[in-house]
Amino acid sequence: MNAIKSDSDAVGVILAAGRGSRMRSRLPKPLHRAAGKPLISYPVELLAQCGIEDIVVVVSPENGEAISAVLGSGITCAVQPTPGGTAQAVACALATLPIAPSQVVVLAGDTPLVRPQSLRNLMSDHAGCSSRRMTILSAADAFASDLGHIKRVGAAGASGRVIAIEEASERQDDAIGPAEVNTGVYCFDGPWLADMVDRVRPARSGERYLTALAAMEDGAVSALPIAWADEAMGVNDRLQLSAVETVLRDRINCHWMTEGVTIVDPSTTYIDADVAIGLDTVVLPNTMLTGRTTIGEECEVGPNSVVSDTVVGDRCRIVASTLEEARVDSDVSIGPYCHLRPAAVIEAGVHLGNYVEVKNTRVGSGTAAGHFCYLGDADIGDGVNIGAGTITCNYDGVDKHQTVIGRSAFIGSDTMLIAPVTVGEGAATGAGAVVTRDVPEGRRAVGVPARLLPQQSGSE
Ligand code: UD1
Ligand code: CA
């Protein structure tokens, strides 16, 4: 495992203890979602992608519990008792470590667009100079009035020496032109950081800014500018949240198109960060693929479909339907206007036509339910025909009950199956039957309540 570490003694620190007041939300800012994932997950995954396994997330007493629930085990949380600024937050993180690590990478919890390659470049630039104490990932020519500006002297552009980071709150002029901005991603010499971070004086706001360190040591501070300014975008308010979301969605769509997926209208296609899609699948307009959804190869999804946390096989067609926490095997056609709810398992070759709702039900391979019906808490065998208007009456007002339909059964139109009830293999129900008792294998039941017809001659 340690072999992939770019520095065996690098620790990642993620700052997430700020008030987040500009969001105007009851939900802590790090838990707001972009492309379906909490903001805090982005820096955590970024560090992991860059080989940093030791991670400390700085949280507040208010948001700590909710954040650590999202992070899961293996990540340390350090509590910053009051939001006294980013320098104080880093000090809280370092206080949890037994010794200062050789390298500390600091990221903000609200900057989800930084690419792994940029962080890798930053780390190797930092490691390449032994006298370096602090290396800042900056973005050149950015228009971002709420970010810190990198101040240099001497040579023009990126060759000038970094002498300070000027915070938006401290700027005299209301600079509107392009500037080199601080992305909030840094690489530090660990022992130097541990020593200096406590010496940062409070700014006018009373907070101790991590960025003040840039002015505290001549020549040992450098900034590495990256070309894409979108990586510097942070989320301080909901306008920026939606701007970040747009960039993420665009990146995700581009990724899948590069991987061999046709997206007919990227501007109305919403694919979450953790979705996977197979080769030659076509995604039609107004479609959302969310959560941990996986779509197989050569499918056609949409128009107007929502697929959430669902696994879909190959060569499926999903038209104008909503699928949630379901499983759909290969060669299935669904819709228009179907609703698959949690624990719907649709086996290979099934056809679900207009207005079919399925919940907690296995639909066996080759079965067809072509027209409006409700199939809940049922186990339906292979090759069954479900007539229009069939309902599994699974709820008696107190409890839910199961319906079992054997393979090759024929359920007549408008059959009410009063659960618990079993329709045997090869059995049939007549149109409008209200089935209150089990129908044995191969038998036919008709009427209200349904009665068994005499066995046909030749059958058992
Ligand atoms: C900060 C930088 C700014 C940079 C920008 C990049 C400082 C002083 N300024 O500004 O130069 O351009 O990020 O996005 O660092 N936090 C804590 N504890 C605190 C205060 C903040 O953990 O006491 C956390 C926040 O939750 C947030 C991060 O630190 O995740 C940055 O804080 P924020 O208030 O958003 O700083 P910016 O104004 O965006
Ligand atoms: Ca911020």
Side-chain angles (χ1 to χ4, degrees):
M1 265 266 220
N2 283 348
I4 58 160
K5 279 193 173 186
S6 46
D7 184 330
S8 59
D9 190 21
V11 167
V13 172
I14 299 171
L15 308 181
R19 285 194 191 88
S21 49
R22 288 169 276 182
M23 292 298 281
R24 303 192 63 126
S25 177
R26 293 196 182 95
L27 184 71
K29 179 166 78 172
L31 300 183
H32 277 262
R33 287 171 182 268
K37 257 198 321 213
L39 292 175
I40 191 68
S41 301
Y42 287 91
V44 170
E45 286 175 17
L46 176 69
L47 288 171
Q49 284 164 336
C50 294
I52 298 178
E53 290 163 4
D54 296 329
I55 300 174
V56 183
V57 178
V58 185
V59 296
S60 70
E62 295 76 32
N63 71 19
E65 213 170 301
I67 290 179
S68 55
V70 166
L71 296 174
S73 56
I75 291 177
T76 309
C77 283
V79 179
Q80 183 186 13
T82 52
T86 41
Q88 194 198 62
V90 168
C92 292
L94 296 181
T96 66
L97 304 173
I99 52 158
S102 68
Q103 208 185 72
V104 178
V105 172
V106 176
L107 305 172
D110 63 355
T111 314
L113 297 177
V114 180
R115 288 183 165 90
Q117 194 53 50
S118 301
L119 181 53
R120 281 190 212 110
N121 290 348
L122 180 78
M123 290 168 73
S124 64
D125 185 80
H126 180 85
C129 178
S130 59
S131 61
R132 189 76 60 73
R133 302 289 177 239
M134 173 183 191
T135 311
I136 306 152
L137 190 70
S138 67
D141 295 326
F143 288 85
S145 57
D146 63 343
L147 297 184
H149 287 184
I150 308 287
K151 295 288 155 192
R152 297 183 187 259
V153 290
S159 7
R161 188 160 55 85
V162 173
I163 52 158
I165 301 174
E166 197 176 60
E167 287 306 315
S169 56
E170 298 176 313
R171 280 199 284 274
Q172 310 292 339
D173 54 331
D174 203 10
I176 47 168
E180 182 182 359
V181 298
N182 170 24
T183 64
V185 178
Y186 322 82
C187 223
F188 290 100
D189 173 81
W192 179 82
L193 178 66
D195 177 41
M196 297 298 279
V197 81
D198 291 326
R199 299 205 223 156
V200 172
R201 294 186 175 284
R204 256 182 307 174
S205 64
E207 291 192 9
R208 287 162 50 214
Y209 294 155
L210 187 62
T211 47
L213 290 175
M216 288 171 72
E217 190 138 0
D218 264 4
V221 177
S222 181
L224 181 72
I226 44 173
W228 295 290
D230 65 2
E231 290 187 67
M233 288 167 70
V235 177
N236 293 325
D237 57 32
R238 299 204 198 216
L239 298 176
Q240 292 173 335
L241 179 64
S242 102
V244 158
E245 174 97 22
T246 303
V247 173
L248 281 170
R249 297 232 169 263
D250 193 44
R251 284 189 192 175
I252 292 167
N253 287 345
C254 289
H255 167 77
W256 288 115
M257 289 188 278
T258 311
E259 291 292 305
V261 174
T262 294
I263 299 179
V264 172
D265 181 13
S267 70
T268 62
T269 302
Y270 304 83
I271 302 173
D272 276 358
D274 291 329
V275 168
I277 313 175
L279 200 72
D280 284 326
T281 281
V282 177
V283 184
L284 293 163
N286 291 325
T287 292
M288 299 184 79
L289 307 177
T290 71
R292 301 209 163 258
T293 288
T294 303
I295 309 280
E297 299 187 350
E298 296 176 40
C299 293
E300 194 174 285
V301 185
N304 306 320
S305 291
V306 179
V307 185
S308 309
D309 297 309
T310 290
V311 177
V312 177
D314 299 329
R315 298 172 302 279
C316 291
R317 193 151 180 261
I318 300 167
V319 185
S321 292
T322 298
L323 282 56
E324 312 164 71
E325 296 172 41
R327 189 189 100 196
V328 175
D329 294 345
S330 295
D331 302 294
V332 168
S333 75
I334 293 176
Y337 319 120
C338 283
H339 187 186
L340 302 195
R341 293 169 49 204
V345 175
I346 313 300
E347 293 185 350
V350 164
H351 166 64
L352 302 178
N354 316 271
Y355 305 102
V356 175
E357 176 181 348
V358 184
K359 182 214 78 171
N360 188 30
T361 288
R362 175 182 80 97
V363 181
S365 55
T367 287
H371 318 276
F372 44 95
C373 62
Y374 172 60
L375 306 171
D377 302 310
D379 185 81
I380 303 172
D382 299 352
V384 171
N385 187 81
I386 308 273
T390 295
I391 292 174
T392 52
C393 307
N394 57 335
Y395 187 48
D396 60 11
V398 181
D399 294 314
K400 299 282 174 70
H401 301 282
Q402 249 232 329
T403 299
V404 177
I405 303 177
R407 65 202 325 262
S408 305
F410 180 94
I411 307 298
S413 294
D414 217 13
T415 295
M416 303 290 125
L417 297 154
I418 314 295
V421 73
T422 296
V423 177
E425 203 176 305
T429 66
V434 176
V435 182
T436 55
R437 283 180 296 170
D438 292 353
V439 182
E441 193 177 317
R443 298 291 298 273
R444 291 184 295 157
V446 299
V448 181
R451 60 193 161 76
L452 289 180
L453 291 177
Q455 283 189 9
Q456 286 167 306
S457 58
S459 66
E460 305 232 328

Coordinates of all heavy atoms in Angstrom, one line a residue, residues 11-17 30 40 43-44 47 54-60 63-64 67-68 71 75-80 89 92-93 96 107 109:
V11 N 1.0 14.4 5.3 CA -0.3 14.3 5.9 C -1.2 15.4 5.2 O -0.7 16.4 4.8 CB -0.2 14.6 7.4 CG1 -1.6 14.9 8.0 CG2 0.5 13.5 8.2
G12 N -2.4 15.0 4.9 CA -3.3 15.9 4.3 C -4.2 16.5 5.3 O -4.8 15.8 6.2
V13 N -4.4 17.8 5.3 CA -5.3 18.5 6.2 C -6.4 19.2 5.4 O -6.1 19.9 4.5 CB -4.5 19.6 7.1 CG1 -5.5 20.4 7.9 CG2 -3.5 18.9 8.0
I14 N -7.6 18.9 5.8 CA -8.8 19.5 5.1 C -9.5 20.5 6.0 O -9.9 20.0 7.1 CB -9.7 18.5 4.5 CG1 -9.0 17.6 3.5 CG2 -10.9 19.1 3.8 CD1 -9.8 16.3 3.1
L15 N -9.7 21.7 5.6 CA -10.3 22.7 6.5 C -11.8 22.8 6.3 O -12.2 23.1 5.2 CB -9.7 24.1 6.3 CG -8.2 24.1 6.4 CD1 -7.7 25.5 6.2 CD2 -7.7 23.5 7.7
A16 N -12.6 22.4 7.3 CA -14.0 22.4 7.1 C -14.8 22.9 8.4 O -15.9 22.5 8.6 CB -14.5 21.0 6.7
A17 N -14.1 23.8 9.1 CA -14.7 24.2 10.4 C -15.3 25.6 10.3 O -15.7 26.1 11.3 CB -13.7 24.1 11.5
P30 N -20.0 21.8 4.2 CA -19.3 20.6 3.6 C -20.2 19.5 3.2 O -19.8 18.6 2.4 CB -18.3 20.2 4.7 CG -18.2 21.4 5.6 CD -19.5 22.1 5.5
I40 N -17.4 17.8 0.9 CA -16.2 17.3 1.7 C -15.6 16.1 1.1 O -14.4 15.8 1.2 CB -16.6 17.1 3.2 CG1 -15.4 16.9 4.0 CG2 -17.6 15.9 3.3 CD1 -14.5 18.1 4.2
P43 N -12.2 16.8 -1.7 CA -10.8 16.9 -1.2 C -10.3 15.6 -0.6 O -9.1 15.2 -0.8 CB -10.8 18.0 -0.2 CG -12.2 18.3 0.2 CD -13.0 17.9 -1.0
V44 N -11.2 14.8 0.0 CA -10.8 13.6 0.6 C -10.3 12.6 -0.5 O -9.3 12.0 -0.5 CB -11.9 12.9 1.4 CG1 -11.6 11.5 1.8 CG2 -12.2 13.7 2.6
L47 N -7.0 13.7 -2.2 CA -5.8 13.3 -1.4 C -5.5 11.9 -1.7 O -4.3 11.5 -1.9 CB -5.9 13.6 0.1 CG -5.9 15.1 0.4 CD1 -6.3 15.3 1.9 CD2 -4.5 15.7 0.2
D54 N -2.9 9.6 5.1 CA -3.2 10.1 6.5 C -3.8 11.5 6.3 O -3.3 12.4 5.8 CB -1.8 10.3 7.2 CG -1.2 9.0 7.4 OD1 -1.9 8.0 7.6 OD2 0.1 8.9 7.5
I55 N -5.1 11.5 6.7 CA -5.9 12.7 6.5 C -6.5 13.2 7.8 O -7.1 12.4 8.5 CB -7.0 12.4 5.4 CG1 -6.4 12.0 4.1 CG2 -7.9 13.6 5.2 CD1 -7.4 11.5 3.1
V56 N -6.4 14.5 8.1 CA -7.1 15.1 9.2 C -8.1 16.1 8.7 O -7.7 17.0 7.9 CB -6.1 15.8 10.2 CG1 -6.8 16.3 11.4 CG2 -5.0 14.8 10.6
V57 N -9.3 16.0 9.0 CA -10.3 17.0 8.6 C -10.7 17.8 9.8 O -11.0 17.3 10.9 CB -11.6 16.3 8.1 CG1 -12.7 17.3 7.7 CG2 -11.3 15.4 6.9
V58 N -10.5 19.1 9.7 CA -10.9 20.0 10.8 C -12.3 20.4 10.7 O -12.8 20.9 9.7 CB -10.0 21.3 10.7 CG1 -10.3 22.2 11.9 CG2 -8.5 21.0 10.6
V59 N -13.0 20.1 11.8 CA -14.5 20.3 11.9 C -14.8 21.2 13.0 O -14.0 21.5 13.8 CB -15.2 18.9 12.0 CG1 -15.0 18.0 10.8 CG2 -14.8 18.2 13.3
S60 N -16.1 21.7 13.1 CA -16.5 22.5 14.2 C -17.3 21.7 15.2 O -17.7 20.6 14.8 CB -17.4 23.7 13.6 OG -18.6 23.1 13.2
N63 N -20.7 21.0 13.3 CA -20.8 20.1 12.2 C -20.1 18.8 12.2 O -20.2 17.9 11.4 CB -20.5 20.9 10.9 CG -19.0 21.2 10.7 OD1 -18.2 20.5 11.4 ND2 -18.6 22.1 9.9
G64 N -19.3 18.6 13.3 CA -18.3 17.5 13.4 C -19.0 16.2 13.3 O -18.5 15.3 12.5
I67 N -20.3 15.5 9.7 CA -19.2 15.3 8.8 C -18.5 13.9 9.0 O -18.3 13.2 8.0 CB -18.2 16.4 8.8 CG1 -18.9 17.7 8.3 CG2 -17.0 16.1 8.0 CD1 -18.0 18.9 8.3
S68 N -18.3 13.6 10.2 CA -17.5 12.3 10.4 C -18.4 11.1 10.0 O -17.9 10.1 9.5 CB -17.0 12.2 11.8 OG -18.0 12.3 12.8
L71 N -17.7 10.8 6.4 CA -16.3 10.4 6.0 C -16.1 8.9 6.3 O -15.2 8.3 5.7 CB -15.3 11.2 6.9 CG -15.3 12.7 6.6 CD1 -14.4 13.4 7.5 CD2 -14.9 13.0 5.1
I75 N -10.4 8.2 8.8 CA -10.1 9.6 8.7 C -10.2 10.3 10.1 O -11.3 10.1 10.7 CB -10.9 10.3 7.6 CG1 -10.5 9.7 6.3 CG2 -10.8 11.8 7.7 CD1 -11.3 10.2 5.1
T76 N -9.2 11.0 10.5 CA -9.2 11.7 11.8 C -10.0 13.0 11.7 O -9.8 13.7 10.7 CB -7.8 12.0 12.2 OG1 -7.0 10.8 12.1 CG2 -7.7 12.5 13.7
C77 N -10.8 13.3 12.6 CA -11.4 14.6 12.7 C -10.8 15.4 13.9 O -10.6 14.8 15.0 CB -12.9 14.5 12.9 SG -13.8 14.1 11.4
A78 N -10.4 16.6 13.6 CA -9.9 17.5 14.7 C -11.0 18.6 14.9 O -11.4 19.2 13.9 CB -8.6 18.1 14.3
V79 N -11.3 18.9 16.1 CA -12.3 19.9 16.3 C -11.7 21.2 16.6 O -10.8 21.4 17.5 CB -13.3 19.5 17.5 CG1 -14.3 20.6 17.8 CG2 -13.9 18.2 17.2
Q80 N -12.1 22.2 15.8 CA -11.7 23.6 16.1 C -12.8 24.2 16.9 O -13.9 24.4 16.4 CB -11.5 24.4 14.8 CG -11.0 25.8 14.9 CD -11.0 26.6 13.6 OE1 -11.5 26.1 12.6 NE2 -10.3 27.7 13.6
A89 N -7.2 26.8 12.4 CA -7.7 25.5 12.0 C -6.6 24.5 11.7 O -6.6 23.4 12.2 CB -8.6 25.6 10.8
C92 N -5.1 23.3 14.9 CA -5.9 22.2 15.5 C -5.6 20.9 14.9 O -5.6 19.9 15.6 CB -7.4 22.5 15.4 SG -7.9 24.0 16.3
A93 N -5.4 20.9 13.6 CA -5.1 19.6 12.9 C -3.8 19.1 13.3 O -3.6 17.9 13.7 CB -5.1 19.8 11.4
T96 N -3.3 17.1 16.6 CA -3.7 15.7 16.7 C -2.6 14.8 16.3 O -2.7 13.5 16.5 CB -4.9 15.4 15.8 OG1 -4.5 15.5 14.4 CG2 -6.1 16.3 16.1
L107 N -5.8 21.6 2.2 CA -6.9 21.9 1.2 C -8.1 22.5 1.9 O -8.3 22.2 3.1 CB -7.4 20.6 0.6 CG -6.4 19.6 -0.1 CD1 -7.1 18.4 -0.5 CD2 -5.9 20.3 -1.3
G109 N -12.1 22.7 2.4 CA -13.2 21.7 2.2 C -14.3 22.2 1.2 O -15.2 21.5 0.9

